[in-house]
Amino acid sequence: MSETDLKNNLLPPPRHIAIIMDGNGRWAKQRGLPRTAGHAAGGEAFRRIANYCRTLGVKYLTVYAFSTENWKRSEEEVAGIMRLLGRYLREALADMEKNKVRFRFFGDLSKLSPELQKLCMDAQNRSADYDVQVNFCLNYGGRDEIVRASRAFAADVAAGKYRSEDLTEELLSSYLYSADVPDPELIIRPSGEKRISNFLLWQSAYSEFVFMNVLWPDFSPGDLDAAIAEYHQRNRRFGGT
Ligand code: IPE
Ligand code: IPE
Ligand code: MG
């Protein structure tokens, strides 16, 4: 792989990229704007990067939009985020044929408003035939996901479908929100924070992490190119030599 290959992005992108969309609040603060303005700008960044991923031929894009811990924020901020999500989903539904993106939602949607839940279900159902898949993590927590999967498996054992010793890594994976989705090769966290914040705990076992100082609302296609270039320079060993 030469410098030129990296610059021109000639290497194939990873099949699955996951992004912790962080830094909206700081972006707004820097501009003296309310935090919600940062989330609106973050929504635009998502549109931009999802489109760019489609152009690059990335098959799966998983984005962390709202965590199980984000309910700790002020009522005003949570309501603002929910309002923006509703607006985004309504627009995505109207533009479905143009964008050709398949939506899936990871997380406990039952805590969202009935209206937002319906928009999520409509987006998921109406986009089922498209190739590029966006996994939207909403009220998502990695620990919560594993607890739910464990409960569901325990219920199947109680119902006689499995014995406890039938449980394998593959079988547990099939109970996760991410069932049928390959693990992300690359996880990007903008905003300068270097932690996982309860994102894809199971699926990230061998993911490459790229932490970047840019705030999410400023994240550009060039930043994605840089993260992919960095990914290509890593030597992935999966425990081997
Ligand atoms: C990420 O940006 C968006 C959500 C968590 C919903 P933040 O709102 O966490 O932005 P910072 O980290 O405060 O800058
Ligand atoms: C992670 O960011 C969640 C999302 C980006 C949706 P946070 O801003 O909530 O994470 P912490 O609190 O800095 O760890
Ligand atoms: Mg944050």
Side-chain angles (χ1 to χ4, degrees):
M1 170 188 56
S2 72
E3 274 292 305
T4 330
D5 281 348
L6 282 176
K7 278 216 186 76
N8 298 339
N9 228 345
L10 294 178
L11 292 163
R15 178 171 53 165
H16 183 175
I17 297 178
I19 306 180
I20 300 174
M21 303 190 292
D22 195 21
N24 297 350
R26 278 162 280 176
W27 183 93
K29 192 166 182 206
Q30 280 176 0
R31 287 164 179 75
L33 296 169
R35 292 181 63 85
T36 313
H39 297 310
E44 289 309 313
F46 166 70
R47 245 187 253 272
R48 187 158 74 232
I49 296 307
N51 273 331
Y52 187 56
C53 281
R54 201 184 40 172
T55 319
L56 290 179
V58 173
K59 283 274 175 230
Y60 301 90
L61 172 66
T62 301
V63 289
Y64 206 6
F66 195 86
S67 76
T68 46
E69 286 74 38
N70 286 148
W71 298 104
K72 292 178 190 162
R73 299 184 178 204
S74 75
E75 238 174 80
E76 187 194 349
E77 180 171 355
V78 171
I81 294 172
M82 296 301 159
R83 203 169 43 241
L84 284 165
L85 280 166
R87 191 196 300 166
Y88 171 79
L89 287 171
R90 258 177 245 111
E91 284 168 15
L93 277 161
D95 252 2
M96 207 59 120
E97 282 74 30
K98 199 175 104 212
N99 288 326
K100 294 199 176 4
V101 164
R102 178 176 177 188
F103 279 96
R104 230 166 101 172
F105 294 86
F106 292 2
D108 177 10
L109 300 186
S110 73
K111 299 283 180 318
L112 308 180
S113 72
E115 197 199 349
L116 204 48
Q117 288 182 49
K118 183 166 185 313
L119 285 169
C120 292
M121 284 309 109
D122 286 352
Q124 189 155 299
N125 295 337
R126 283 192 33 209
S127 64
D129 295 334
Y130 298 135
D131 283 347
V132 185
Q133 181 169 318
V134 171
N135 304 308
F136 225 84
C137 299
L138 257 188
N139 191 21
Y140 172 88
R143 288 184 171 182
D144 183 59
E145 179 180 37
I146 295 168
V147 167
R148 274 159 195 284
S150 310
R151 268 193 218 136
F153 174 71
D156 280 347
V157 171
K161 188 174 172 196
Y162 291 115
R163 292 163 307 155
S164 57
E165 55 272 32
D166 291 334
L167 192 63
T168 58
E169 292 184 7
E170 287 68 33
L171 188 56
L172 184 62
S173 295
S174 74
Y175 284 92
L176 300 175
Y177 294 122
S178 58
D180 304 326
V181 176
D183 291 340
E185 290 89 354
L186 169 62
I187 298 184
I188 302 170
R189 182 166 193 160
S191 93
E193 307 300 351
K194 296 182 179 65
R195 55 177 169 259
I196 192 151
S197 301
N198 207 7
F199 189 45
L200 303 180
L201 297 182
W202 173 276
Q203 299 86 344
S204 63
Y206 275 101
S207 302
E208 295 298 331
F209 285 87
V210 174
F211 296 102
M212 304 175 86
N213 280 325
V214 56
L215 299 173
W216 174 247
D218 290 327
F219 201 91
S220 68
D223 293 317
L224 191 71
D225 286 343
I228 293 175
E230 159 114 27
Y231 164 81
H232 282 300
Q233 281 174 320
R234 303 275 175 90
N235 182 3
R236 304 187 79 201
R237 283 187 289 274
F238 302 98
T241 47

